[in-house]
Amino acid sequence: MKGLRDKSVLVTGGGGAIGAAICCRFAEEGASVLVADKNSVSAVKVAREVRGKALVFDISDYAAAKRAIASCGEIHVLVNNAGWDRFQNFLDTDPAEWEELISINLRGPLNMHHLVLPQMAARGSGCVVNISSDAARVGSSGESVYSACKGGILSLTKTLARELARKGVTVNAVCPGPTDTPILRGFLGEGEAGKKVYDALVRAIPQKRVGRPDDVPGIVAFLASDEAAYITGQVISVSGGLTMAG
Ligand SMILES: NC(=O)c1ccc[n+]([C@@H]2O[C@H](COP(=O)([O-])OP(=O)(O)OC[C@H]3O[C@@H](n4cnc5c(N)ncnc54)[C@H](O)[C@@H]3O)[C@@H](O)[C@H]2O)c1
C-alpha cells in the first residue's frame, strides 16, 4: 500500500489479538511499529516479532501516556485499538463498575488523541484509525457501557475528522464484528452454553463464520495509507456482513 514505508505507527493494545495482527501488517508494509500495551510481556513479544519498539503504559493514565509518547519522536499513524469489556446486563451493573470500562474504552482513546494529534496538526499530516465495534453501531446485549464508549469513539472520530481536515490529518474508525479473540471468548462464556451462543452467532453472520484477527489489519493499513488520503470521518464494519449499517 502506498505511503506506509518508513512511517512511524503507534498501535495501542498492540500486544493483543487484533492489535498484534495490525502491528504485523504495518511491519510487512515497511513501517516502523510502536507496540503500546499495558501488558509488558505481550508488548515485548510482539515488538520483537515486528522488530519494533515496545511501549508499556496504561492509556487511561494521561501522565504515563504523555511520558511514553514523548519518548517516541514523530508518530505518523495512531491506531487506537486497546479495549476491554466485562459482560453484564445493564440493570445488573453497579455504577462503580462502569469506571474501568469508561477509562479504558473512552478516556484512554481521548488521552491518546489529545497527546498525539498536536504533532500531526503542526506537521500538517497524519492519520488516526480508531478500532470501535459493531456494538456501537447496532447495540449488543450485555455490552451497554462498552457500547456507549465505542459509540462515543465514533462521534469523536467524526468530530476530530472535521476539526483536523484542514490540517492534513484524517481520522477514521473500523468496527470489528464478533472476532475470535479472548474478548469474544469472554462474551460467549464456557462450555455448552457458550457453544450454543457461538453457533447462533455463526448462523446469523452472512459469511457463516466469526471474524479472525487477520480480517482487520487490511482496512486499517488502507485507511492509514496514501490511498485513503481523501477519506476521513468514516466508519467501516469488518463483520462478514453481520451489520450493513448505512
Ligand atoms: N474481539 C472482538 O470480538 C471484538 C469485536 C469488536 C471490537 N473489538 C475491539 O478490538 C480491539 C482489540 O480487541 P481484541 O479482541 O484484540 O482484544 P485483546 O484482549 O486480545 O487485546 C486488547 C489489548 O489491549 C490491551 N489493553 C487493555 N486495556 C489497556 C490499557 N488501559 N492500556 C493499554 N493497553 C490496554 C490489553 O493488554 C490487550 O493486549 C478492542 O478495542 C476491542 O474492543 C473486538
Side-chain angles (χ1 to χ4, degrees):
M1 246 166 246
K2 286 184 196 158
L4 293 176
R5 181 156 296 282
D6 299 328
K7 290 278 165 66
S8 167
V9 181
L10 190 154
V11 182
T12 70
I18 294 173
I22 293 172
C23 290
C24 290
R25 178 60 194 261
F26 277 108
E28 281 164 19
E29 295 285 346
S32 142
V33 185
L34 299 159
V35 184
D37 207 294
K38 69 176 177 187
N39 181 326
S40 61
V41 174
S42 58
V44 167
K45 180 173 173 285
V46 175
R48 202 169 286 143
E49 275 166 29
V50 301
R51 297 182 181 192
K53 178 178 167 187
L55 294 171
V56 180
F57 66 96
D58 183 335
I59 56 166
S60 62
D61 178 342
Y62 190 90
K66 188 173 183 178
R67 279 193 300 276
I69 289 162
S71 73
C72 292
E74 284 195 341
I75 297 168
H76 302 107
V77 177
L78 167 64
V79 182
N80 283 304
N81 162 78
W84 174 74
D85 201 0
R86 181 196 294 112
F87 304 95
Q88 227 174 350
N89 287 328
F90 184 62
L91 298 186
D92 298 329
T93 63
D94 184 290
E97 295 167 348
W98 303 342
E99 296 310 320
E100 197 176 3
L101 285 162
I102 295 170
S103 321
I104 295 174
N105 296 300
L106 187 58
R107 179 165 289 283
L110 283 168
N111 289 343
M112 294 304 294
H113 283 94
H114 198 249
L115 290 164
V116 177
L117 283 173
Q119 54 159 291
M120 291 184 175
R123 221 172 32 235
S125 70
C127 296
V128 179
V129 183
N130 290 318
I131 307 300
S132 175
S133 169
D134 264 356
R137 304 189 95 178
V138 296
S140 177
S141 297
E143 299 193 273
S144 50
V145 180
Y146 170 87
S147 301
C149 295
K150 292 293 194 180
I153 294 302
L154 297 186
S155 306
L156 179 70
T157 297
K158 293 171 191 176
T159 299
L160 293 178
R162 289 181 188 280
E163 290 186 3
L164 289 150
R166 277 180 296 162
K167 303 276 185 193
V169 179
T170 62
V171 189
N172 291 290
V174 170
C175 288
T179 307
D180 192 3
T181 76
I183 287 190
L184 181 70
R185 277 171 244 135
F187 176 71
L188 295 173
E190 305 277 305
E192 200 49 41
K195 189 176 174 322
K196 267 193 181 159
V197 185
Y198 179 88
D199 290 345
L201 196 56
V202 169
R203 276 197 302 278
I205 297 171
Q207 291 193 355
K208 300 297 171 211
R209 67 169 177 85
V210 298
R212 296 187 279 260
D214 274 343
D215 289 320
V216 181
I219 185 69
V220 177
F222 169 73
L223 289 170
S225 76
D226 288 353
E227 326 241 8
Y230 196 53
I231 299 175
T232 196
Q234 302 305 304
V235 180
I236 184 136
S237 288
V238 179
S239 60
L242 180 61
T243 40
M244 298 190 186

